[in-house]
Amino acid sequence: MSDNAPPARSQVEIIKERSRFLRGTIAEGLRDSSTGALAEDDTQLTKFHGIYQQDDRDLRPERARKKLEKAFSFMARLRIPGGVVTPAQWLALDRIAGLRANGTIRITTRQTVQFHGIIKSNLRQTLQEINAALLDTIAACGDVNRNVIATANPYESRAHAEVVAAAHAISAHLMPRGRAYHELWLDDELVAGGEREDEPIYGALYLPRKFKIAIAVPPHNDVDVYAHDIGLIATVQHGRVSGYNVLVGGGMGMTHGEPQTYPRLAEPIGWCRADQVIDVCEKIVTVQRDFGNRADRRQARLKYLIAARGLDWFQARVEERLGWHLAPMRPFAFVRTGDRPGWVEDAAGNGHFTLFVENGRVADRDGAALRSGLAAIARVHQGALVMTTNQNIIIAGVAPAQRPVIDALLAQHGMHNPDGGLRRNAMACVALPTCGLALAESERYLPTLITRLESHLAEVGLSRDEIVIRMTGCPNGCARPYLAEIGLVGRAPGLYNLYLGAAFDGTRMNRLYRKDLDEAGLIATLAPMFATYARDRREGERFGDFALRAGYVPAGDDPRYFHDPPAGGAQG
Ligand code: SRM
Ligand code: SF4
């Protein structure tokens, strides 16, 4: 390449550039009834509208045998900052799940919901129904800022309500401004070829890669604040949010066999006042927009920019754009990640019930009619429903008189929170059959594995002990497995890499312990560890901390920011 040659760009950059602000040929593709799919380039663009083209991988062999095209359908992901919906909105989601999707609602690890199995001819109708419920799917996926997540339950305190409001404000500020979404899905007037469009924050190429923001209210780290491009930790004074500690450069994704990709925890750059936080987020986004890697998508997340240029360089660029310096970090402490299933009561005496939803799948099956039950609750409930970042849901703001009604509906529909400390702290990503990137089962398998592990935990008296376990069907990290005390990452059908040693409060990642374990191997490895832990643990010692002290995985120099270095190749 000559010195004057333009820098290399990935194919997705070229698709974005030619897309006329995310239109591509989606409209034509929707009209084409000869296939259940869209044009390949357009499938990159629909992500910005919250839509993924998928196919049912269970059906692939049969369809191939019959020489049929894949069983294409679409996944739609909503943008719900802070995860709060009204009961009426929940009922609209429930109706859409039954009429347009596969009969389930999937609560995600980013506090929103997904519908799976929408066929192409139903897509526009589905999006219109979502919008009619005053919800949308704009920028839920794609190279833009995604759903902004926040410590669940705005009803818990005034500060909690303020961070959910901040999540909404940041999300709105960083939303793409183009009209393509409205035009394609909601019957707006066509502007293509007409008035000039502009994306004041993103520009025509949007960001080099996806971008994520999370807000935590200590001492609860339910959002895994270190796992995101921007992590904001609220500081609270006299019950109000005074400002935010700002972390940058977190991310979970990696690729097996590519040691230059790795999960990384976000690092602190300073504190800002609450009224400055939108500006800070915007400037961080624009530095990534201007300097992020647009040639290699595997190196395009903010974490790699910061790793390459250094945190000081990055902070200086952000402060240049702000025109002022961030203040020193303020003290904070986390005690746990995850959710706290069951009732809690606020100062006003209202109740909030966190319902455990196994791997986020709201469905009617196996004796627990979760979908019908939540719909029945939504019909009588007067507060809100709040999705958590751990795939659960909170029935929030229940007046004392209403509590027996909710309790009765929970019981009637078989909706019981599990007792087991491992299951209560478990998450699995979607994986098969809809995720095109899955190498192994996850959502469909983790419950069975947990049942088997539970019998070993019971033998040594650990049934109720909280241990965080997370599984993903590939190394992309959608259930944040590298922050789990037991992390299981799919390598191939039935085979998982086992990671140990993360902190219970989500401030330290785990490390690879063993590769390619099948179920027998996982149980044979973990059962004796549980026994040793039950026997040798110190007062209050968590399983993740014990794994380091027992030497299952090395503690290293600074485990807080540890990831396997490229030279070690231990990741895979
Ligand atoms: Fe994810 C891609 C599901 C949270 C890292 N993720 C995907 C796709 C869309 C597969 C694809 O690209 O074709 C999956 C769709 C599966 C399906 O059938 O529904 C998928 N991710 C999910 C969800 C639904 C998992 C879940 O069980 O809840 C989560 C939806 C969140 C949301 O509502 O927006 C989900 N994904 C995450 C998280 C966790 C988080 O953000 O807190 C991560 C790790 C954090 C991060 O981004 O670093 C995550 N997903 C990825 C990656 C790897 C990104 C990277 O930097 O390497 C991919 C693949 C990619 O982008 O190329 C991916
Ligand atoms: Fe799919 Fe991998 Fe994400 Fe699981 S971790 S949903 S298998 S991309």
Side-chain angles (χ1 to χ4, degrees), residues 76-160:
R77 182 184 290 165
L78 276 73
R79 183 185 65 92
I80 308 179
V84 184
V85 295
T86 63
Q89 286 174 324
W90 182 266
L91 287 173
L93 298 177
D94 180 76
R95 261 193 310 277
I96 293 167
L99 277 176
R100 315 267 171 228
N102 67 356
T104 72
I105 299 173
R106 179 54 155 73
I107 302 174
T108 75
T109 54
R110 289 189 67 77
Q111 209 169 28
T112 183
V113 300
Q114 290 185 175
F115 295 115
H116 289 103
I118 308 166
I119 56 171
K120 194 170 83 174
S121 55
N122 268 340
L123 256 183
R124 292 188 81 235
Q125 189 65 28
T126 306
L127 264 70
Q128 287 172 17
E129 286 166 7
I130 291 169
N131 279 262
L134 303 183
L135 294 166
D136 64 67
T137 63
I138 303 174
C141 325
D143 297 343
V144 281
N145 175 56
R146 308 277 186 97
N147 196 37
V148 180
I149 60 175
T151 290
N153 202 1
Y155 291 77
E156 192 163 323
S157 75
R158 187 162 185 173
H160 285 78

Side-chain angles (χ1 to χ4, degrees), residues 137 309 333 429 520:
T137 63
R309 305 274 192 129
C429 74

Side-chain angles (χ1 to χ4, degrees), residues 429-431 435 437-440 442 472-479:
C429 74
V430 178
C435 179
L437 306 177
L439 306 170
S442 185
T472 54
C474 86
N476 280 323
C478 297

Side-chain angles (χ1 to χ4, degrees), residues 179-196:
R179 299 297 301 168
Y181 182 88
H182 300 80
E183 176 190 310
L184 285 166
W185 311 106
L186 307 180
D187 276 335
D188 248 22
E189 238 173 76
L190 289 184
V191 295
E195 70 190 61
R196 218 181 87 75

Side-chain angles (χ1 to χ4, degrees), residues 406-459:
I406 302 292
D407 275 333
L409 287 170
L410 288 167
Q412 237 173 54
H413 292 86
M415 300 195 286
H416 304 291
N417 283 333
D419 291 329
L422 189 65
R423 199 178 299 271
R424 287 160 77 98
N425 287 282
M427 280 206 288
C429 74
V430 178
L432 293 163
T434 51
C435 179
L437 306 177
L439 306 170
E441 293 283 352
S442 185
E443 179 186 324
R444 296 196 294 196
Y445 171 56
L446 185 62
T448 313
L449 178 66
I450 289 179
T451 303
R452 295 185 180 143
L453 291 173
E454 275 173 341
S455 64
H456 295 278
L457 288 165
E459 269 171 29

